[in-house]
Amino acid sequence: MIRTLKVAASLAVLAFATAGHAQTDRPWMNTKLSPDERAALLEKELTLDERIGLVHGPMSMPIFGIKKPEGAIGSAGYIPGIPRLGVPAVNESDASLGVTNPLNVRPGDGATALPSGLSLAATFNTKLAYEGGAVVGREARAKGFNVQLAGGVNLARDPRNGRNFEYLGEDPWLAGNLAGASIKGIQDQGVVSTVKHFSLNGQETHRHFANSVIDEAAHRESDLLAFQIAIEKGQPGSVMCAYNLVNGDYSCGNTHLLNDVLKRDWGYKGWVMSDWGAVQATDYILKGLDQQSGEQLDAQVWFGEPLKAAVEKGEVPAARLADASRRILRSMFAAGLFDKPVAPGGAIDYDAGAAVARAAATEGVVLLKNRPGLLPLAKTAKSIAVIGGHADAGVLSGGGSSQVAPPGGAKTIIPLGGEGMMGPFRSQYFNGSSPLAAIRKVAPDAKVSFDDGRYIASAVAAAKAADIVVVFGNQWMGEGEDAADLSLPDGQDALIAAVTAANPNAIVVLQTGGPVSMPWLSQAGAVVEAWYSGANGGEAIADVLFGEVDASGRLPMTFPASIDQYPRAALPGLGLPDKTQFDVVYSEGADVGYRRFAQTGAKPLFPFGYGLSYTTFAYANLKVTGGQTLDVSFDVTNTGQRPGKDAPQVYLTGAAGKTVQRLIGFDKIELKPGETRRVTLTADPRVLGQFDAKANRWALTGGDYQVAVGASSADLTLKGAAKVKARTLKP
Ligand code: BGC
């Protein structure tokens, strides 16, 4: 005991001495100062070469013959530290869905795979978003990563977008809030998070040559609003600009986006890093870019020697380089990278991570159709035929930079082949959380068979022989490519049509990266959308099918009846020769997804916000108060026989004489049978107003505002109104 005390005493002396040293030699280590003050003090000490060293960095994965840089842990990117001043090296890893291990650069190192972004968005649950972020942040930290390339919040403007699965759906309020919560979860672990890809990276087809064209006000009210909310709620240390052009200028060299909107209007204090291979010139630094990432993918290391020369010649003011360096350091201080440095080799509780992944995946499952009495399945079911989707091997995940390998490695990897930048990433990963095994576990007395679904005749025979059928429909989506249409690939629609025709008790489980068409829908007994469900997806699917939990997911994207219901029925750029610039005209403006459906009156297959539950909910006693904004409250009652979770949604339906439809609030609540809870929320005035591009301000027209509470964007039951005062707000 005495010895321990002595050690403790000498450690205290050491800590005191270090603190003293910090106060004098390294005043920026004084934790009483603000991150701004600390960054300013440190930045002053940097040499020109040290500043240049901070503003660019290589990839840290072995790809295209490139070697992992010396000193890097190995993942997406690396910025060497400055030991003389105690600046830690920056090790960057992807993404929102877990800590990645691209091309197995850290041999055998897995991580907790969270469900896809769309699955998270389907939970309508900001608490789960935070908890998921915290898992990612904890694991990043334990593996030695201090920057997590997370926070994907591009709005889903096209159901075919190959990266919709990484993002959070089509609504700025939903996506912005969930992204903000997830970013906060990551950063609370002492790891910087990004928010990405700024902005309008709305499709993957020829993403380096797509020019997103949009009206300024519409942009502010949609994709930019999602970013703005995510930044306000999550305070990400960095913003990653995108591959595409926006209104004629590349996003990473877009002075309007970076200097005017982000840094001036929003007062953003962190740094802008480029996407990997998204920098075309040195003068991007003048246009607001602070750091060139993944530099080997660019034609030159623009922010290396060329930038140094430009500063020396006075073409780039030294003050601008200092500002970029200060921004990087500021975010590093703010997230705690100096005070609590990360180190690889930390212990990781993967069971705890998997439990969060399972909770999120379960709440993300959306019950789209249910013939009364079919679901939830009785555990006494005698025989169940599970068909297709590699359901024996695990659940599917999306491809590209966000792909997470589970601890111990994926159970099954099916290479798809392919060339180009994303070629090495084109494989389907199945993680080992097998829905087949999970179903067997929940229903131990049932005879559960598996047919791989390759031959329709054998699948039909299996379906006919069983009481219940669970047939899977998989759609692999990946970064760098879009789905060519909304069908399930590899003939699975024909398989499902045959199986659902053979047995009326067939339940279709979809594992997709976004909306798909369902030509067999009328025949299916039940349909659930399970998305890419992560580490414990198999268990989550079984839990919902057997009613261990309520089905409480709601669609964060409209499922269209056909692609013709969208403004761009032909995928822009598809078939063009590479390196040809083309316009993607976002003529829907801010009316993305359900908002445009509300205008055109087209009937989707399933509307935004839709999802069935195993119980029923009723809404009553709506109170709407006006003034500077709208305060809305109402009662939600579980009117059914089972406990359940509801995601009540509040929509604006009219604003001072204008018909609109916008989600202005949502909640996720759990209710016992017969229980009533009051939901209360205050609308953010920006979702009530419009952006006045000329005045560069948000504007609310004074007048009557109508709201409706509903179970989806197309099922509005309670209606109310109140007067809102005319006002304008800062951009
Ligand atoms: C993706 C980014 C990712 C980066 C680093 C790019 O291909 O677009 O989302 O963070 O690679 O891996």
Side-chain angles (χ1 to χ4, degrees), residues 61 76-77 94-95 149 163 166 196-197 201 204 207 240 243 275-276 297 401 421-422 479:
M61 64 183 97
D94 287 298
L149 309 171
R163 292 185 92 173
E166 287 188 55
K196 68 189 186 184
H197 310 88
N201 192 167
E204 290 297 291
R207 59 182 173 170
M240 186 191 291
Y243 285 127
D275 201 342
W276 273 227
L297 292 174
S401 61
M421 177 178 161
M422 297 314 295
E479 181 182 336

Side-chain angles (χ1 to χ4, degrees), residues 159 486 515-518 557-566 597 603-606:
L486 296 177
V516 288
S517 53
M518 302 177 202
M557 278 186 80
T558 308
F559 275 43
S562 95
I563 196 66
D564 302 332
Q565 296 180 322
Y566 281 81
F597 277 81
K603 206 175 162 331
L605 191 60
F606 295 108

